[in-house]
Amino acid sequence: MATIGIMWDRMNKDVFKWQAKAIRAAGFDKLLLFKPDHVDRRYRTIAGWVYENNQWRYEPKSPYPSIIYDRGIYSGRMLKEARQVKETTGIPFAGDWLGNDKWTIHKHLSVNTKLRPYLIPTLLLSHDQAVHTMLHKYKKAIIKPLGTHKGTGILKLSYLNGKYVIEENRRKSIHLSKEGLHGKLAQLRRKRNYLVQRWVDITDAANRVYDIRVLIQKNELGQWHLTGMGVRLGKAGNITSNLATEGSAKEIISFLSKQFGHARALRLEQKLRELAFEIAAQLERSFQKRLVELGLDFGIDRQSHIWIIEANAIPGKEVFKRAASPKVFKQSLQLPIYYAGFLHRKLSGGKTRRKQ
């Protein structure tokens, strides 16, 4: 009997109803939902929720699964536990981590000459000069934590009338002298590491920030498949477009057609497709890791130039629930299960077959 494990940072089994419905077609008999700190490595058992025969039950000592699909975003002690599960249990994972270090991912992408024209100029904020260099060249900059999630901690920096202006979602802008900016940057660096990037005008006609989430996933044949695209439109006055900061979701072609016309919108969508496949291939090749899915965020400026904002190996899919068809959203949840089935069959020498 084959079991697929889903490792997550929470234990809400209701979130995984579509994944549970896909296990039989993917070749699995059971699904085991668990947290990394629920793994007993001594006795090779896991406490978690098991889905079998169309129903859930709690199992305090379930045997190790055949393969794991990791959906967790961990920190602190749970991150340590998750690493131990990956490194010491011997259970194969459908995909590896890229980590959430945006600087490292940026460097891996920048070696690809096809991608370089689409990368936002970026420096590591190791000293104040990085900020002044970016402001001198581009007038405005974005400062973001290396490991930011859902747009938290991102600042917009401008130089206006002899003062440095810092903007942040849900807060009033602050004006600082050069000495005040120095103190602010030192305060930031004491807490975590940051990037400083050129600010790119990725706003719509109403001056609302937007970006495009492209989801690319491995399918049941082990091949990259572009599952969907969706626009995340920020709340008026916000400096980011994240749905977690009161943003909204829009269908891509209709939205871009309003900004650039229908013909150009179609060309932009096609270019986004090409870039998504190139990024996926580049990250697997450069990191030398197996990936199962990527959420790629792109910006398009007023001149219709595409910019790569970031790549996420544990992508959120809420934008597809809000802006895409139910079929696309369902597929976004089930494709990793089908790929895990493909990989399990491959790793087990083809001894198990996908169930019809």
Side-chain angles (χ1 to χ4, degrees):
M1 295 181 67
T3 301
I4 179 171
I6 295 182
M7 190 165 75
W8 201 33
D9 48 287
R10 282 156 280 171
M11 286 289 281
N12 180 5
K13 63 184 185 298
D14 296 331
V15 171
F16 294 99
K17 68 174 184 177
W18 287 115
Q19 289 90 336
K21 290 175 182 285
I23 61 171
R24 297 290 295 177
F28 297 107
D29 302 285
K30 300 179 183 179
L31 183 156
L32 171 63
L33 173 64
F34 67 97
K35 293 168 64 176
D37 55 352
H38 288 180
V39 177
D40 187 332
R41 290 185 296 278
R42 180 180 179 183
Y43 294 102
R44 298 181 63 82
T45 61
I46 301 176
W49 285 98
V50 172
Y51 184 86
E52 185 180 22
N53 298 324
N54 301 317
Q55 61 183 0
W56 289 97
R57 71 174 188 279
Y58 185 75
E59 176 58 64
K61 293 183 179 181
S62 182
Y64 277 2
S66 309
I67 194 168
I68 293 174
Y69 168 46
D70 186 9
R71 280 297 299 167
I73 298 175
Y74 314 107
S75 61
R77 180 175 172 271
M78 195 177 292
L79 176 59
K80 181 180 178 181
E81 294 282 353
R83 284 188 176 131
Q84 290 180 336
V85 173
K86 290 180 73 73
E87 295 169 3
T88 66
T89 61
I91 307 170
F93 276 66
D96 289 314
W97 290 338
L98 286 182
N100 58 0
D101 184 340
K102 301 180 189 305
W103 177 240
T104 299
I105 294 173
H106 176 85
K107 288 191 294 182
H108 279 270
L109 293 176
S110 65
V111 301
N112 186 315
T113 56
K114 294 179 182 178
L115 298 176
R116 208 174 292 152
Y118 305 96
L119 290 171
I120 300 174
T122 301
L123 296 171
L124 187 64
L125 185 53
S126 55
H127 48 72
D128 289 8
Q129 189 56 45
V131 168
H132 295 298
T133 296
M134 202 64 70
L135 286 178
H136 177 74
K137 193 169 185 179
Y138 301 112
K139 311 306 180 187
K140 297 178 183 180
I142 289 288
I143 299 174
K144 64 170 65 171
L146 262 62
T148 187
H149 179 54
K150 296 184 178 180
T152 57
I154 294 178
L155 308 174
K156 179 181 176 183
L157 179 63
S158 311
Y159 185 69
L160 182 66
N161 299 326
K163 292 286 186 180
Y164 295 92
V165 182
I166 293 180
E167 300 172 66
E168 186 176 3
N169 288 341
R170 300 174 181 172
R171 296 190 180 184
K172 290 184 178 180
S173 58
I174 58 175
H175 295 69
L176 300 171
S177 64
K178 188 173 182 178
E179 293 73 21
L181 177 65
H182 173 76
K184 177 66 174 179
L185 295 176
Q187 179 187 38
L188 291 175
R189 290 199 299 269
R190 279 196 295 270
K191 296 179 180 179
R192 56 208 298 195
N193 295 317
Y194 283 78
L195 296 177
V196 55
Q197 293 184 318
R198 170 189 175 182
W199 177 82
V200 178
D201 187 1
I202 51 172
T203 56
D204 70 353
N207 291 318
R208 294 171 297 183
V209 173
Y210 73 94
D211 66 12
I212 297 164
R213 165 59 60 91
V214 177
L215 180 64
I216 185 168
Q217 300 173 296
K218 297 277 185 66
N219 62 16
E220 67 275 10
L221 301 176
Q223 300 167 343
W224 283 113
H225 168 83
L226 198 146
T227 305
M229 303 184 189
V231 175
R232 300 184 302 186
L233 180 62
K235 179 184 177 183
N238 277 5
I239 63 169
T240 65
S241 59
N242 300 76
L243 300 182
T245 51
E246 303 177 83
S248 57
K250 305 292 181 183
E251 192 276 327
I252 182 170
I253 293 298
S254 60
F255 182 86
L256 292 182
S257 294
K258 292 178 182 178
Q259 313 306 315
F260 305 106
H262 187 67
R264 183 167 289 184
L266 293 176
R267 291 196 297 271
L268 287 168
E269 185 204 34
Q270 180 57 36
K271 189 62 183 179
L272 289 168
R273 287 179 175 273
E274 295 172 11
L275 289 171
F277 282 99
E278 186 67 33
I279 291 169
Q282 172 61 29
L283 290 177
E284 277 202 312
R285 181 170 58 243
S286 184
F287 277 93
Q288 296 187 345
K289 291 184 175 182
R290 180 173 63 234
L291 302 175
V292 60
E293 59 187 343
L294 286 167
L296 306 174
D297 296 337
F298 296 91
I300 303 178
D301 65 23
R302 294 292 183 96
Q303 289 72 46
S304 73
H305 182 82
I306 295 172
W307 297 97
I308 300 168
I309 298 175
E310 63 185 48
N312 306 279
I314 309 288
K317 297 163 186 173
E318 182 67 20
V319 64
F320 305 107
K321 183 177 182 180
R322 299 193 196 183
S325 69
K327 180 180 178 181
V328 168
F329 179 61
K330 178 180 174 181
Q331 187 179 50
S332 76
L333 300 176
Q334 293 187 335
L335 269 183
I337 305 301
Y338 294 140
Y339 172 67
F342 161 85
L343 187 60
H344 171 58
R345 291 190 294 276
K346 181 179 177 181
L347 295 176
S348 61
K351 295 178 182 178
T352 61
R353 292 194 297 176
R354 185 176 176 185
K355 298 172 184 177
Q356 302 300 318

